[in-house]
Amino acid sequence: MKTGKKLSVKSLFAITLCLMMLVVSACSNSSKGSDGGNEKDAEGNYKDNLTISVANLTEVKTGNMDNEFHKFWEDKFNIKWDYNYIDWDSWGEKLRLWINSGDLPDVAVWNYVHGDAINNIDQGLFYKFPDDWKERWPNVAAAYKLTGLGDKLEELTGGTYVLPRPIYFENKPADPLTNQIGVIALRKDWAKAVGFELKDAYTTSELNQFAELVKEKDPGKVGNKLVPLSYNAADAMTNMIMPNSVHAMTDVPFYKGEDGKFHWGPADQETLTGLKLMQKAYKDGLLNPEFYTWKNNEGQNNFKVTGTAAVTSLGGLASYRQGLDSDMRKNLGVNSDDLVHTAIVLGDDGKYRNMEQANFWSALIFNPNISDEKFERIMDLIDYSATKEGQLLINMGFEGKDWKYDDNKELVNLLPEGTVLEDKYPARFEGLYLLGDDFSVVNPAIKKDYRDRAVELFQEKAKLGTESKSLAPYDWDVNLYDSKAKSQASFDYQNEYANLILKGGDLEANWKEWVNSKMSLVQPYLDELNEKFQ
């Protein structure tokens, strides 16, 4: 529409000013898109302070963050943490609720479930990474690639939505890599007192025999407080059933047999072997009468807090052994080296069973509506955490205060003997990405004997498992396959097994009845696997 009028000088000026403002705004938005609002000053410091919400399994109590370690991260990245603690037992449920309700924190540690991952990605419930993220954050990208899962997910989804957390980056202890579970600690002073031989590996029955000797002779003079085998339900599955039937485990119950068909491990005869050993231990008073109600560390506490247990489930990491030593010094006033022997557990046929370990555990996920500024600041932080400098800080503390280099450029721990970094800087959750397993292999803050023993047992697992061909291989096809039938065929095995050994009547008959009761859910999934992957 034509007006037939000329614009005044004032109008032209106003229009020109508006156009200039649009140009400036566009430039500003362009800058924000490339820098994400994470501009730095002349000294290289982030200009804007960001409050970032994070969810993790590390318990942060009042006052835990009032120390030099946490202040370093907050100052270096100009952030304030809004921390959300997740209890282990409610981890999956709480994250599921947050994800589906849109209340996911900016970044969260998530117990990776493949079917849930695909569904959440399809529904837009996870943040999609920019296409060039690997170039911008190369340290994260290098560790991410070693997980294997990252590349598999990209093939399926066409992008990056999840950061699987690498177990090992530069210090893989053995090949094939097995799960770190299946290592026990026993009281070697009590073993000497009852004439029990110290070895690198014991069958399930041999450990039961040791527990019986301790129960009979009570070398520690602890009376009715004695717990010969201090396992909770998960520990009992790991150290009594898995050594005899690897596919009885929660992680790998479905597998392809030598006949080329898929089977359900809990229905294997070997699972009944493990159940019989577990039930006998319970009836003989070797397991605590209420072991199946214990949570988290309740089994270990009898060993490291009260000193009333003969055997406990420890796990194979050197950091676990160091933590055990620290706890026993604090709670019992003893040097654990005089009292503790670690070993792996074999099946009663002498074979070592375990799962081959994919190089990831859990994952980082981001709120789908996270701002560019927050996403990029978090990625800057975890990229730094994956550098050598960042790993030294996370795992050893500050150079010159907590550690130093000697004349041979070897790392030297400066912490007082018997203490760990957690004592000085509690609740160090900032190592959000790389798991501590990797650095624990070389960490001089962990006693060398513990590190050497951990690697020795990892290598023994790999050797024995390979020789007997008794390791469960990691099957990407099966693990990344998802369906309604798979979800319906998922069970809480540790509690199912505990209920079986507690049930009255004949165990074998009860087990067969239990297997049959599950087949209406199990068989449809077996049929799917046989059709898709045979």
Side-chain angles (χ1 to χ4, degrees), residues 9-230:
V9 174
K10 185 175 181 180
S11 298
L12 287 171
F13 177 77
I15 291 172
T16 303
L17 181 62
C18 288
L19 289 172
M20 290 178 65
M21 290 176 68
L22 286 171
V23 171
V24 170
S25 176
C27 292
S28 174
N29 288 335
S30 175
S31 174
K32 182 176 179 180
S34 60
D35 295 332
N38 287 312
E39 296 84 1
K40 297 181 180 181
D41 60 23
E43 286 73 41
N45 300 314
Y46 296 92
K47 290 182 178 180
D48 299 328
N49 182 267
L50 297 178
T51 296
I52 294 173
S53 57
V54 57
N56 200 356
L57 295 161
T58 302
E59 186 172 5
V60 180
K61 298 179 180 178
T62 301
N64 276 172
M65 295 183 67
D66 299 333
N67 61 55
E68 183 181 3
F69 182 87
H70 289 291
K71 188 175 186 300
F72 170 87
W73 293 90
E74 291 190 339
D75 289 351
K76 181 175 179 63
F77 294 95
N78 198 8
I79 58 175
K80 180 179 179 181
W81 290 115
D82 173 12
Y83 189 82
N84 299 270
Y85 166 60
I86 316 167
D87 180 79
W88 184 274
D89 293 327
S90 62
W91 185 16
E93 180 182 353
K94 183 169 285 189
L95 263 293
R96 190 176 301 111
L97 179 63
W98 282 343
I99 290 167
N100 289 307
S101 64
D103 293 326
L104 188 67
D106 294 322
V107 59
V109 174
W110 179 54
N111 189 17
Y112 183 85
V113 177
H114 182 69
D116 290 348
I118 297 300
N119 289 336
N120 292 334
I121 290 169
D122 287 344
Q123 295 178 56
L125 299 177
F126 289 166
Y127 177 83
K128 186 180 189 299
F129 286 38
D131 292 340
D132 64 348
W133 76 267
K134 294 177 184 177
E135 288 72 40
R136 177 157 181 180
W137 297 288
N139 298 299
V140 177
Y144 166 91
K145 187 168 183 60
L146 295 180
T147 67
L149 178 60
D151 289 341
K152 294 286 184 181
L153 281 174
E154 288 181 21
E155 293 173 13
L156 293 171
T157 65
T160 304
Y161 297 85
V162 173
L163 287 181
R165 302 174 74 207
I167 301 173
Y168 294 101
F169 189 20
E170 297 179 337
N171 300 297
K172 186 177 178 181
D175 191 18
L177 179 64
T178 58
N179 195 300
Q180 58 84 16
I181 62 175
V183 173
I184 55 91
L186 63 80
R187 285 291 294 263
K188 68 179 179 183
D189 55 330
W190 293 1
K192 181 179 179 181
V194 301
F196 187 74
E197 181 184 2
L198 296 180
K199 301 191 296 184
D200 289 337
Y202 297 100
T203 66
T204 321
S205 288
E206 284 177 324
L207 286 176
N208 287 356
Q209 290 165 9
F210 171 56
E212 288 170 356
L213 287 170
V214 170
K215 183 172 181 280
E216 176 188 346
K217 300 184 178 181
D218 191 13
K221 307 301 179 188
V222 295
N224 60 11
K225 294 181 180 179
L226 177 66
V227 185
L229 296 174
S230 195

Side-chain angles (χ1 to χ4, degrees), residues 15 20 80 92 112 176 189 201 203 206 365 375 380 410 434 455 469 498 521:
I15 291 172
M20 290 178 65
K80 180 179 179 181
Y112 183 85
D189 55 330
T203 66
E206 284 177 324
I365 54 175
F375 172 75
D380 286 350
E410 296 291 331
L434 291 182
V455 171
K469 299 180 181 179
L521 297 175

Side-chain angles (χ1 to χ4, degrees), residues 329-458:
R329 286 178 185 273
K330 280 190 247 183
N331 296 305
L332 301 171
V334 297
N335 178 356
S336 73
D337 295 355
D338 300 328
L339 307 177
V340 176
H341 176 68
T342 56
I344 60 178
V345 189
L346 309 174
D348 267 22
D349 58 2
K351 293 183 179 180
Y352 178 73
R353 294 176 177 83
N354 201 331
M355 298 162 282
E356 286 191 19
Q357 177 72 63
N359 191 32
F360 76 91
W361 177 79
S362 71
L364 288 187
I365 54 175
F366 295 80
N367 186 299
N369 299 314
I370 189 173
S371 68
D372 290 345
E373 294 89 344
K374 289 186 177 182
F375 172 75
E376 295 183 13
R377 192 77 60 93
I378 295 167
M379 291 296 289
D380 286 350
L381 183 149
I382 64 173
D383 197 71
Y384 171 75
S385 77
T387 64
K388 182 177 181 180
E389 180 182 340
Q391 282 291 289
L392 285 170
L393 177 64
I394 290 166
N395 294 286
M396 294 192 65
F398 295 95
E399 183 176 5
K401 294 182 179 180
D402 306 310
W403 63 275
K404 68 176 183 179
Y405 286 110
D406 64 15
D407 294 338
N408 297 317
K409 298 299 181 182
E410 296 291 331
L411 294 168
V412 178
N413 177 41
L414 298 179
L415 295 177
E417 185 176 356
T419 64
V420 294
L421 202 62
E422 187 70 11
D423 297 327
K424 189 171 182 181
Y425 312 116
R428 291 167 296 118
F429 64 83
E430 283 89 354
L432 286 169
Y433 190 48
L434 291 182
L435 297 180
D437 308 40
D438 184 71
F439 198 82
S440 71
V441 177
V442 297
N443 190 348
I446 298 175
K447 191 172 181 178
K448 188 175 186 301
D449 288 348
Y450 301 159
R451 289 185 279 129
D452 290 346
R453 181 63 171 169
V455 171
E456 181 183 349
L457 291 180
F458 265 113

Side-chain angles (χ1 to χ4, degrees), residues 242-262:
M242 184 190 77
N244 295 282
S245 181
V246 66
H247 289 289
M249 284 293 288
T250 303
D251 304 71
V252 285
F254 295 93
Y255 68 98
K256 184 181 284 190
E258 293 181 0
D259 59 0
K261 296 182 179 180
F262 282 88

